[in-house]
Amino acid sequence: MTKLRPSQLVSWLGTLFFIFGEVRGLGDAVYAVNCGGEAHTDMFGIKYEKDDTRVGVSSDYGKQLMIGRVPQQDQILYQTERYHSSTFGYDMPTQGDGEYLLVLKMSEVYFNAPNMKVFDVVLNGDLTVVSDLDVYEKVGRGVAHDEYIEFSIEGNRILYDGEESEISAGQIRVEFIKSYRDNPKINSIVMIKGTLEDWPTLPPLPIEQEEDEVTDEVEESQSARRKPSGPRVTDPYAEEESSSLLPIFVAIGAFIPLVFFLCKL
């Protein structure tokens, strides 16, 4: 029977949490697109449109990876992506006044270090909702990461974090801003009418053991399995001492008869 390592067990339990954990009623999906990929219906029944955007580059490079924190059925939402060598974005419809949640789904499938791809996200051209986003720094390579942006709409205006922006033609735009550290990207987008409490967030990241702790555990395990060679000795120095005194005892044994013989002469 194969034993799971602690990190594998936590990851497996995290997936179960994602699937069977507390899922409060999902808000109404207003917009959803699988960026750079085909249409997809996720495990919660949300239908993501095929990405027909012509700006930038669509890529399925991430299909060679198994994305962490995500069940098999929805891997595709983090494996395909769209990126561009300059700022780009998506226009999203609205459904009247109320509270909204914008979920930006991402995973770093190319770089193996932080500070290689960093960018901002702006809503409606005025509101910076994510600054200096470095997906690798947050979760590493090949691991799902979601950004949750809560805002409200009142009277044709977006209200976010004490700021506001006018809505034009019933649509709002989310943009990924080009910086000097590679190209901005996005894997998939979903916007619902509701709040974060209405959305099943990703499970927590697996807890990795510190390298020193792992080394100590290995050494203790090896020590416990190691079998000593030779007979058991209560005192490891007892045999050494007795063996070193043996020549003295032999010399004394030979000297006593000699003295006795000389005394008789």
Side-chain angles (χ1 to χ4, degrees), residues 228-262:
S229 59
R232 288 181 174 274
V233 179
T234 304
D235 183 354
Y237 298 102
E239 287 192 352
E240 182 179 344
E241 291 176 357
S242 60
S243 60
S244 62
L245 292 175
L246 182 60
I248 298 176
F249 294 148
V250 172
I252 293 174
F255 182 69
I256 290 175
L258 179 61
V259 171
F260 179 77
F261 176 76
L262 293 174

Side-chain angles (χ1 to χ4, degrees), residues 7-259:
S7 60
Q8 291 176 315
L9 179 60
V10 174
S11 179
W12 182 72
L13 291 174
T15 300
L16 289 180
F17 171 84
F18 185 79
I19 298 174
F20 299 109
E22 181 183 5
V23 178
R24 291 146 293 193
L26 289 177
D28 296 328
V30 178
Y31 176 82
V33 60
N34 181 27
C35 303
E38 299 296 320
H40 174 76
T41 300
D42 73 6
M43 60 183 298
F44 300 108
I46 293 179
K47 297 180 179 181
Y48 292 76
E49 301 174 359
K50 175 183 177 181
D51 186 4
D52 292 323
T53 304
R54 297 184 180 277
V55 175
V57 179
S58 60
S59 170
D60 63 357
Y61 184 82
K63 284 185 176 181
Q64 62 186 301
L65 300 177
M66 181 66 71
I67 307 299
R69 305 174 79 191
V70 184
Q72 180 66 36
Q73 178 180 338
D74 292 334
Q75 291 275 308
I76 194 66
L77 294 175
Y78 297 88
Q79 291 172 327
T80 62
E81 64 180 42
R82 182 169 296 280
Y83 66 88
H84 193 27
S85 56
S86 61
T87 296
F88 73 103
Y90 290 79
D91 293 316
M92 304 176 293
T94 60
Q95 289 184 354
D97 291 357
E99 295 178 313
Y100 287 78
L101 173 68
L102 175 63
V103 183
L104 306 176
K105 296 179 175 292
M106 305 179 196
S107 64
E108 179 52 67
V109 299
Y110 185 76
F111 290 113
N112 285 301
N115 296 316
M116 302 299 291
K117 182 189 291 291
V118 182
F119 56 93
D120 294 345
V121 181
V122 172
L123 187 61
N124 218 40
D126 302 318
L127 309 171
T128 300
V129 292
V130 184
S131 298
D132 296 324
L133 177 59
D134 185 338
V135 176
Y136 184 94
E137 184 178 45
K138 287 182 175 291
V139 297
R141 184 172 186 261
V143 180
H145 172 70
D146 286 358
E147 287 287 336
Y148 307 107
I149 297 102
E150 292 183 282
F151 63 94
S152 60
I153 293 179
E154 293 182 11
N156 214 40
R157 293 174 300 146
I158 298 176
L159 305 179
Y160 171 78
D161 199 22
E163 300 182 81
E164 61 181 60
S165 176
E166 292 293 328
I167 297 174
S168 175
Q171 290 189 323
I172 60 178
R173 184 171 179 80
V174 59
E175 291 182 297
F176 307 93
I177 310 302
K178 167 71 175 177
S179 76
Y180 63 92
R181 283 175 285 188
D182 202 65
N183 302 317
K185 59 165 276 183
I186 180 65
N187 292 84
S188 55
I189 302 170
V190 57
M191 185 173 70
I192 67 168
K193 196 166 185 182
T195 67
L196 188 56
E197 293 183 352
D198 303 315
W199 185 258
T201 57
L202 289 173
L205 287 168
I207 301 173
E208 296 291 343
Q209 289 181 292
E210 295 292 335
E211 185 176 349
D212 291 343
E213 294 178 2
V214 174
T215 302
D216 290 343
E217 288 181 5
V218 171
E219 290 178 352
E220 289 176 6
S221 176
Q222 291 175 342
S223 177
R225 291 197 303 267
R226 188 180 295 121
K227 296 181 179 180
S229 59
R232 288 181 174 274
V233 179
T234 304
D235 183 354
Y237 298 102
E239 287 192 352
E240 182 179 344
E241 291 176 357
S242 60
S243 60
S244 62
L245 292 175
L246 182 60
I248 298 176
F249 294 148
V250 172
I252 293 174
F255 182 69
I256 290 175
L258 179 61
V259 171

